[in-house]
Amino acid sequence: MSDKKKTTIVLFSGDYDKAMAAYIIANGAAAYDHEVTIFHTFWGLNALRKEEQVPVQKGFLEKMFAKMMPRGADKMGLSKMNFAGMGPKMIKKVMKKHQAMPFPQLAEMAQEQDVKLIACTMTMDLLGLKKDELIEDIDYAGVAAYIGDAEEGNINLFI
Amino acid sequence: MNAAKVLDVKGLACPMPIVKTKKAMQELESGDILEVQATDQGAKSDLTAWTKSGGHELMQETEENGVLTFWIKKE
């Protein structure tokens, strides 16, 4: 077992701002040389979706879900002041001005820093998401794998 | 102070200063000094905490015209 410290984050939310916060903390922890895990469940799974539509076999409800949910964090709304989609546009403008990293780059940096991205398979089934629809180089697991990481963890967050 | 490397993260926002500092530090040898220039006001607390946690030594820090400069000696 490694003697590295561990940070584990549960990303439950499907809001742009919350996903951003989770990935900023993950990148910060990785810079502290922690082993970092982000466990994506429920709406947080959308952060792992590919931007493009992927043809997969789905039932009616699953198709509806797929249509209504954002493909990737960059398409998510804000948890506050979403203003029917204007909010994200405004915040991205402000982020640019302050040279804050937009989500796609934060995600790229997280993978570069070996942050372990996990998709919760049970909620993937609930939301009808298939592996082909999610980005490459991620792990698939359930609560036990998450607890396995978190029980040795030094920082544990639910976002 | 003789810095082995100068890292310019001026204008960059959290978490970039700390992520880039970590990367730059990896390329240095023990005892080398890294000079970091930042404008993110949070960098003051961030770099101080990061340096301490990593066992490195913050030799000196200055602030001039809004630019924070840190000299960090690698453990």
Side-chain angles (χ1 to χ4, degrees), chain A residues 76-78 81-90 92:
Chain A
M76 287 177 177
L78 291 182
M81 307 207 299
N82 191 44
F83 302 137
M86 274 308 288
K89 288 203 176 79
M90 288 192 293
K92 279 169 199 168

Side-chain angles (χ1 to χ4, degrees), chain A residues 24 27 30-33 98-101 106 109 112-113, chain B residues 11-16 18-19 22-23 46 49-50 53:
Chain A
I24 287 176
N27 275 299
Y32 262 76
D33 242 344
H98 292 282
Q99 293 194 53
M101 278 260 170
L106 280 173
M109 175 115 16
E112 229 175 78
Q113 294 205 88
Chain B
L12 295 183
C14 177
M16 293 320 296
I18 214 77
V19 171
K22 192 220 168 188
K23 275 190 188 162
D46 277 2
W50 181 86
S53 165

